[in-house]
């Protein structure tokens, strides 16, 4: 694959860079604060660029991993150095294809939405290319996103829903884990063990859906024995609006995405 450039080595850019390094991809990176790239110095397949422009001159695939508010500044800096072969990949929340095409007129563009588990190479990402990419370029982009988890090609009108259920959801899952650990501590368990036990339970429960392909309602029913402990807790969750709370939270996240 041609050289991949990453602009912005923060949480997400750093995770993507680490994954691509492990895949031995030909990589070039640049970050405003130089010291943030220290961990990548001396790695065979990684070049540290002198600037964003230097990076763009060397890479075919250019992943922009800066905060959304910084994207126009970066675009202004690099746009005159892109060629007809460059593929610009944005992972900035709210940057639609239309918005990107305004920043990079006439260029090959992909909008992508990874999520935080990219750090452990278990992301769920969505991508949507414009119609300028050829088949091989699209294959390469899928390979790039696959290096840090699962990826799906998605119509742009599904990005608001996707960002809510994959981008925001990790935060709510962490809140859920934290609250469950509070309950465990309240009942005498130490916090460290609680986090480990609960996280493994969330992981295993997810695997049952991914691998067993069972309906979540059936799995819930299987855990809920007559007159047992689970149904007692379930009754309380229903009384506190657990389901509607989740639906409303994710709906608000999707709404906010559309307004940005
Ligand atoms: N975090 C997530 O879960 C997540 C999920 C999906 C998508 N995203 C998207 O990913 C993007 C990055 O998010 P993040 O959480 O990784 O942010 P972050 O940790 O703040 O990383 C952004 C990085 O960009 C660097 N930077 C700022 N201006 C620059 C410039 N002009 N040239 C080169 N580098 C520059 C920053 O360096 P300094 O240290 O100098 O500021 C920082 O290291 C955002 O657009 C976000 O919407 C994030």
């Amino acid at each position: 694959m041609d050289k991949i450039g990453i602009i912005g080595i923060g949480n997400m850019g750093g995770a993507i860079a680490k994954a691509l390094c492990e895949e031995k991809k030909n990589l070039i990176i640049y970050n405003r604060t130089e010291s943030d790239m220290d961990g990548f110095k001396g790695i065979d397949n990684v070049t540290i660029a002198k600037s964003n422009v230097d990076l763009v001159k060397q890479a075919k695939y250019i992943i922009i991993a800066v905060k959304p508010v910084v994207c126009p500044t970066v675009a202004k800096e690099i746009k005159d150095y892109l060629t007809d072969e460059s593929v610009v990949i944005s992972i900035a929340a709210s940057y639609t294809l239309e918005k990107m095409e305004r920043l990079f007129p006439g260029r090959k563009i992909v909008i992508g939405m990874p999520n935080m588990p990219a750090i452990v190479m278990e992301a769920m990402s969505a991508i949507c290319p414009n119609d300028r990419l050829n088949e091989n370029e699209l294959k390469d982009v899928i390979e790039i996103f696959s290096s840090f988890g699962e990826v799906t090609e998605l119509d742009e009108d599904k990005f608001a829903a996707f960002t809510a259920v994959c981008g925001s959801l990790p935060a709510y899952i962490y809140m859920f884990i934290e609250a469950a650990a509070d309950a465990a501590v309240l009942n005498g368990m130490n916090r460290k063990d609680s986090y480990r036990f609960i996280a493994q339970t969330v992981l295993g429960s997810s695997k049952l859906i991914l691998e067993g392909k069972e309906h979540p309602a059936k799995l819930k029913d299987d855990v809920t024995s007559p007159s047992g402990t689970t149904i007692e807790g379930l009754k309380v969750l229903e009384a506190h609006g657990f389901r509607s709370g989740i639906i409303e939270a994710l709906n608000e996240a999707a709404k906010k995405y559309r307004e940005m």
Side-chain angles (χ1 to χ4, degrees), residues 125-250:
S125 307
I127 57 159
C128 180
N130 70 1
D131 55 14
R132 293 178 187 271
L133 274 79
N134 64 38
E135 214 174 294
N136 280 337
E137 289 164 338
L138 181 58
K139 236 176 75 203
D140 282 351
V141 172
I142 289 171
E143 194 179 322
I144 290 170
F145 278 80
S146 298
S147 68
F148 49 88
E150 293 284 321
V151 56
T152 186
E153 211 184 322
L154 206 63
D155 288 342
E156 197 175 10
D157 64 358
K158 307 281 186 314
F159 262 61
F162 183 87
T163 304
V165 298
C166 294
S168 304
L169 194 62
Y172 313 150
I173 292 172
Y174 299 134
M175 270 176 81
F176 169 83
I177 290 174
E178 210 191 349
D182 283 344
V185 170
L186 187 65
N187 282 277
M189 194 180 287
N190 76 55
R191 196 162 283 277
K192 196 167 163 236
D193 284 346
S194 305
Y195 284 136
R196 186 160 66 90
F197 299 159
I198 297 161
Q200 176 59 33
T201 301
V202 171
L203 182 71
S205 305
S206 301
K207 271 196 165 173
L208 271 175
I209 293 180
L210 286 173
E211 290 173 14
K213 310 211 185 313
E214 292 274 25
H215 193 288
K218 170 164 189 316
L219 293 168
K220 184 263 294 171
D221 287 352
D222 289 349
V223 182
T224 314
S225 333
S227 305
T229 52
T230 308
I231 193 67
E232 289 295 332
L234 200 145
K235 188 179 67 180
V236 175
L237 286 176
E238 293 292 8
H240 282 77
F242 183 70
R243 286 169 197 266
S244 63
I246 291 169
I247 294 168
E248 280 174 39
L250 292 172

